[in-house]
Amino acid sequence: MSPAGKKITEKLSDEALAGATGKSWAEWFALLDAWGATDRGHTEIARHLVDAEGVSGWHAQSITVGYEQERGMREVGQSSGGGWQASASRTVNAPAERCTAAFADDALRRRWLPDGDLEVRTHRPGVSVTADWDGGTSRISVYLTAKGPAKTQVGLGHTKLPDADAVAAYKEFWRERLGALKTLLESEGLGDTPRDPSG
């Protein structure tokens, strides 16, 4: 199995996939090969899995991405449209609104993202943030999911990247920076306040 295929199957094991869909990765790959999936688009493959094979929407997407990676139709980090994107997530013991402020408030953001060229486009407190990165050459989308009154899952997607190397670099970068965000909001007790009074 190629490195790309290995990565997708690490997310969903053969056992888990077979338990949920009745077939392993190899069986799904063989079935899609026989159907001629290498000559079809992402949406068509996923729809076929749902309509003809009775696979749930979520598993249909997973199988389709895994197949595209395994057959060289899409590399890890590449969207179905051909663009490159990196993602990272971290659960932070702070309210969702406070996590929004960590991105939207310039002074607070510099405390965990000191060298980042990030310009906020939109922000919905406790819900989401969108921003331009590096002068608008790429785009950041942040989605916040409240896990309780003072616990939030922060999911970040960095899109419009130039290549696979940038995906790998930014995936590591954002993993480390979200760790710094978590440390800042938790260790300084900032999660309980609506704004950072010290700026």
Side-chain angles (χ1 to χ4, degrees):
M1 183 174 287
S2 72
K6 187 170 186 291
K7 285 185 182 295
I8 192 68
T9 57
E10 283 172 356
K11 295 179 182 178
L12 189 62
S13 70
D14 255 347
E15 294 76 15
L17 184 65
T21 67
K23 291 181 177 64
S24 67
W25 282 106
E27 289 171 321
W28 281 118
F29 292 161
L31 184 148
L32 289 171
D33 282 342
W35 180 65
T38 54
D39 296 322
R40 303 174 191 259
H42 176 89
T43 301
E44 189 178 1
I45 297 170
R47 185 180 299 120
H48 172 75
L49 289 170
V50 172
D51 294 345
E53 304 297 334
V55 179
S56 71
W58 187 88
H59 285 102
Q61 290 295 326
S62 296
I63 294 166
T64 301
V65 170
Y67 180 81
E68 290 171 329
Q69 290 176 355
E70 179 67 16
R71 295 297 181 256
M73 299 162 68
R74 175 209 300 237
E75 293 190 51
V76 175
Q78 190 173 32
S79 72
S80 59
W84 296 93
Q85 55 193 16
S87 61
S89 66
R90 185 61 68 100
T91 299
V92 180
N93 292 317
E97 291 80 4
R98 185 58 181 162
C99 294
T100 309
F103 285 89
D105 183 280
D106 291 342
L108 180 56
R109 185 175 64 248
R110 282 193 295 270
R111 298 177 66 182
W112 65 274
L113 190 64
D115 302 319
D117 182 10
L118 185 150
E119 182 178 345
V120 174
R121 295 169 59 91
T122 66
H123 72 282
R124 297 170 59 201
V127 179
S128 64
V129 179
T130 63
D132 285 333
W133 182 263
D134 194 21
T137 58
S138 56
R139 181 73 56 82
I140 305 294
S141 297
V142 181
Y143 297 98
L144 306 162
T145 304
K147 297 295 186 179
K151 189 172 186 178
T152 306
Q153 181 178 2
V154 180
L156 181 146
H158 192 160
T159 60
K160 302 174 76 173
L161 295 172
D163 53 36
D165 289 340
V167 170
Y170 274 115
K171 190 172 186 66
E172 184 59 31
F173 172 81
W174 286 116
R175 184 181 296 122
E176 193 271 335
R177 286 297 87 205
L178 291 183
L181 168 66
K182 176 181 175 72
T183 298
L184 174 68
L185 294 185
E186 293 181 2
S187 69
E188 297 187 9
L190 297 177
D192 298 327
T193 58
R195 285 187 60 83
D196 177 20
S198 65

